[in-house]
Amino acid sequence: MRSLSVLFLLITTSILSAQIITSEPTFPTENDSIIIYYDATEGNQGLMGYAGDDVYAHTGVITNYSSAWDHVVADWDENIPKAQLSRVSADLYRLVIGFPREYYALSDPDENILQLAFVFRNSNGSITGRDVGGADIFYDLYEPGINVILLEPEIDDKLGDYALPSFTEIDDTVTIQAISVTPGLKTDSLNLYIDGDLIFTTSDETLSYNFIAADYGTGIKHCTVVGKDTAGLSDSVSFKIAVNPAITDLARPVETMDGISYDSDTQVTLSLFAPYKSFVYALGDFNDWKVNTSYYMNREEVDSDSVHWWITIDGLIPGDEYAFQYLVDGVLRIADPYTEKVLDPWHDQEIIDKGLYPGLKPYPEGKTTEPVAVLQTNQTDYNWQHAENFIRPAKHDLIIYELLIRDFVQKHDYSTLIDTLDYLENLGINAIELMPINEFEGNSSWGYNPSFYFAPDKFYGPAETLKQFVDECHYRNIAVIIDMVLNHSYGQSPLVRLYFKNGNPTTQNPWYNVVSPNPVFSWGYDFDHESVATKSFVDRVNAYWLKEFKVDGFRFDFTKGFTNTPGDGDKYDINRVNILKRMADKIWETDSTAYVILEHFTVNDEERDLTHYKRGMMVWGNANYNYNEATMGYHENGKSDFSWGYYNNRPGWTEPNLVTYMESHDEERLMFKNLTYGNGSGNYQIQQLEIALNRIKMAGAFFFTYPGAKMIWQFGELGYDVSIDDPCRVCEKPILWEYYQDEMRQKLYKTFAALIKLRRSELVFHDPSANTELSVATSMKRIRSAHFNLKTIIIGNFGVNTNSINPLFYSAGTWYDYFSGESIIVTDVSDEITLKPGEFHIYTDRKLETPEDDILNPEVVNQFNLAQNYPNPFNLSTTIEFELAQSSLIQIKIYDILGREVTTLLNNHIAAGRYELIWDGKNRHGISVSSGMFIYEIQAKAAGQMVFHQSRKMILLR
């Protein structure tokens, strides 16, 4: 047996986890005393070259009771002697298991160990040795007695009876090789059966046989190797060989497109575009997920670059859902790229558990792997109620509300989203932009990692409910725009997986670049937009959503990347321009009034040419930085100048196709920065909540009131103040509908609603023909607009001190303040108006309907007034003086220059009033501190909200 052991080690490399682990004995059972050898140069090589002696095994077992780790000997961070490995050589380690039932403490005699499971690590777990790709390491144990091991052909038998066969052609030969392992005994015989007939027998411990396909004909051949030992025990291993029929070259039925074509209530034709592939099978519920030559697909080959594999399947039950995949070249399982519904083995259970998709078809667990497509004949068409009567808002009239369903409604489904439409309709918006909703990887995501472009992601509910949402929006005269990601895909995309090797798409991939030509901005796998296949796919995607879901248009993510020309958008790219023009033309062929909105951010000339092309694409106009500088009260060097948000201020622009926004999903929230970094002077502190909210109202008055489409980000109308990076950029954020119950925040909502109503009702605020001038470079900002029936002057003080501005009224006479309804008499158009910090007015030369009273709260309560401590520097003591306008929780702490807390002077609720606190230079233990610089920090909270937070320096001289 010693010589055979050497032979076994040489020929069984493929079954020993790529030799990450070997053992003594070579083929151990749970009744053997086992020693494990770990080779750190294999697998992920995480511990290769590690010099320490503190290598431990995190180890457990897989048993017949469970497919998960069990009987783990120690917690991850627990280092116990019996799990420590000893070093044999530089990268080879030894672990003595002994008898595994004792080592892993199995007491139930009916529980049997099938595999040992390992992750190797250093003592603190910072370095780990795993299988390739970071997977856990599993090592098989064998049944006592004879074990038959199949060496060739290589078969992945994890799916048991549903394991894939070994594929061959009629003129090929397949080598069948098996060995018998008979610890303590000898092999009596090894016997090969094919379709029940004994074909070959040997008394050796190795069986080798050449299966000549021509001798057996096409079809699925069921093979079994049966071994017997001299004690009369037996073992067997079964596998299949599929002898492929000759490929049928045949044109697809007329009008067949790639994807699923429904021919009748009982028949479909499936078509897959896959040049350079050898053969394709259809697998699914219709053939119990087993390879069957009746489902061997025909080939339509125009040339080597244009090959479609197709099959017509009949006998389907009308209305039943069938899950299916394509099996490509006998190794790759993919779902149909055009499927309208995807099932996956990793994420569907959460969707079922949360009740997000009633009646969701179960994944065919145990029969296949990877995502699967779904087809269904005789589907009931959605009964659209309002599609014919809905008239889309003109592009320049759009007030778009961008939202991420996951972070907008708690249940994150379309049904709940429908329930919020009263709130959005009352706000006055006329378009909703949904962040990506087609199938993306995982469940909780922003959606910019798409995998299936025709399937709505089930995490948000059924497609039928999405259609109901669109229908209900149209009933309320609200357009629906969807965010579409056609710059890139991720690894679950069947288009990526069809041609993928060594971490990138291959050169044969018809849709993707091998690597992105634009490494400065690159995500996922980059579409080659110059490819004919990509153009066809893009057009199919866009037409599908316009027709099937009646969406009103698209916001295309990162269109700057729709090019193979390297660069970061700082130069005019004619290839990119032509690609986008071609795409827009195809969209408008399908739907002549569909919105085409680009997240582009390139040079002005390129954006201008795109927005002036034919019906006019639109581009995003990011004014976040400038508006936020204005709301925070910082104006040096024109940093708060948001005039670029007005299309007419961009050189050469004559079309109002700019979508301007103060916030988007990608930008920091205005209120977070107001409360964190806001400027202040004396009693006027922008970090105070009410002042910060009023600053957003003022920004709104200078945002909604000049022509051009506008966009707001969800909950911006309530002053949402959770940072985009809390706890990470794309992490789930708190859904704070309770903000609407807060009176101060509700007044912001009502202010936005009043401004949107004003904009939509008066041409001067949205008609591109209005004569509009923005003077917004300094803290004192002004907008002048004139139209044939209304003139308006908007002025505001974005500074932190009282200041004056000349409104430049168009004429003397009576002017009306929109929010107060009060009138002023202008006698000299050169007279200035004095404005307190944060004060703004919208004046019109005709009286308009006045909004609800007191939503502006122009008089801000001076919550806190802090004077500089005195004396400063000081010797024995210094006084900190402050004035409080309302009862608040006050905390005052002293820190040294290194940020270490010295003492707390105050931490209590106190009533309104004027206070003086003396610090005697002692720490919290009553001991005098040494000379140096110190910092005192004051925080004031009222009604649970931070109203003041400031730190100041002082110097102690002993």
Side-chain angles (χ1 to χ4, degrees), residues 509-612:
N509 195 306
W511 300 280
Y512 297 88
N513 291 306
V514 176
V515 294
S516 172
N518 293 281
V520 176
F521 298 106
S522 181
W523 297 271
Y525 303 106
D526 184 66
F527 271 111
D528 175 6
H529 282 275
E530 295 181 0
S531 158
V532 173
T534 297
K535 293 174 184 177
S536 175
F537 183 76
V538 164
D539 295 341
R540 281 279 302 273
V541 170
N542 293 335
Y544 170 77
W545 286 93
L546 290 170
K547 292 178 180 178
E548 185 66 23
F549 289 89
K550 301 194 183 301
V551 301
D552 301 291
F554 307 94
R555 176 267 188 187
F556 290 103
D557 182 64
F558 196 67
T559 52
K560 181 162 60 177
F562 284 32
T563 180
N564 288 338
T565 305
D568 61 2
D570 61 343
K571 295 179 181 178
Y572 193 106
D573 185 345
I574 188 61
N575 293 329
R576 176 169 54 212
V577 169
N578 290 336
I579 286 167
L580 291 167
K581 286 180 176 179
R582 189 213 65 83
M583 182 183 74
D585 284 340
K586 298 298 290 187
I587 289 173
W588 291 326
E589 283 179 20
T590 302
D591 188 331
S592 62
T593 64
Y595 306 120
V596 179
I597 304 173
L598 313 177
E599 185 203 24
H600 208 58
F601 303 135
T602 59
V603 292
N604 179 69
D605 288 354
E606 185 172 326
E607 293 196 347
R608 179 201 60 212
D609 288 356
L610 291 168
T611 57
H612 291 60

Side-chain angles (χ1 to χ4, degrees), residues 133-151:
D136 296 345
I137 302 169
F138 297 99
Y139 194 69
D140 291 336
L141 296 188
Y142 295 86
E143 293 286 338
I146 186 170
N147 288 269
V148 177
I149 302 171
L150 181 69
L151 301 180

Side-chain angles (χ1 to χ4, degrees), residues 707-722:
K710 301 296 189 293
M711 186 182 77
I712 55 178
W713 168 245
Q714 65 183 31
F715 297 130
E717 72 284 358
L718 293 175
Y720 192 83
D721 48 15
V722 177

Side-chain angles (χ1 to χ4, degrees), residues 76-87:
W76 173 258
D77 56 356
E78 185 180 1
N79 300 319
I80 61 174
K82 78 173 189 176
Q84 186 170 8
L85 285 74
S86 58
R87 190 186 300 275

Side-chain angles (χ1 to χ4, degrees), residues 115 161 212 287 353 397 577 616:
Q115 292 177 307
D161 196 34
I212 301 173
N287 58 14
D353 292 344
D397 286 338
V577 169

Side-chain angles (χ1 to χ4, degrees), residues 55-186:
V55 175
Y56 290 82
H58 183 63
T59 180
V61 294
I62 307 298
T63 75
N64 58 319
Y65 283 3
S66 171
S67 59
W69 281 50
D70 205 352
H71 300 283
V72 179
V73 300
D75 292 336
W76 173 258
D77 56 356
E78 185 180 1
N79 300 319
I80 61 174
K82 78 173 189 176
Q84 186 170 8
L85 285 74
S86 58
R87 190 186 300 275
V88 177
S89 59
D91 286 307
L92 184 66
Y93 296 86
R94 180 174 183 264
L95 176 66
V96 178
I97 297 290
F99 295 101
R101 295 189 66 85
E102 296 178 5
Y103 186 85
Y104 293 101
L106 271 73
S107 58
D108 185 342
D110 295 325
E111 186 175 17
N112 303 121
I113 301 174
L114 305 180
Q115 292 177 307
L116 308 182
F118 299 95
V119 172
F120 300 103
R121 59 172 178 80
N122 63 348
S123 56
N124 64 14
S126 61
I127 306 174
T128 60
R130 301 174 181 266
D131 208 335
V132 176
D136 296 345
I137 302 169
F138 297 99
Y139 194 69
D140 291 336
L141 296 188
Y142 295 86
E143 293 286 338
I146 186 170
N147 288 269
V148 177
I149 302 171
L150 181 69
L151 301 180
E152 291 187 79
E154 292 186 17
I155 301 294
D156 184 354
D157 62 354
K158 293 185 179 67
L159 293 177
D161 196 34
Y162 292 91
L164 295 176
S166 176
F167 292 88
T168 189
E169 306 301 322
I170 194 69
D171 55 353
D172 286 345
T173 298
V174 178
T175 297
I176 298 174
Q177 190 173 36
I179 60 173
S180 62
V181 181
T182 53
L185 297 169
K186 290 187 176 181

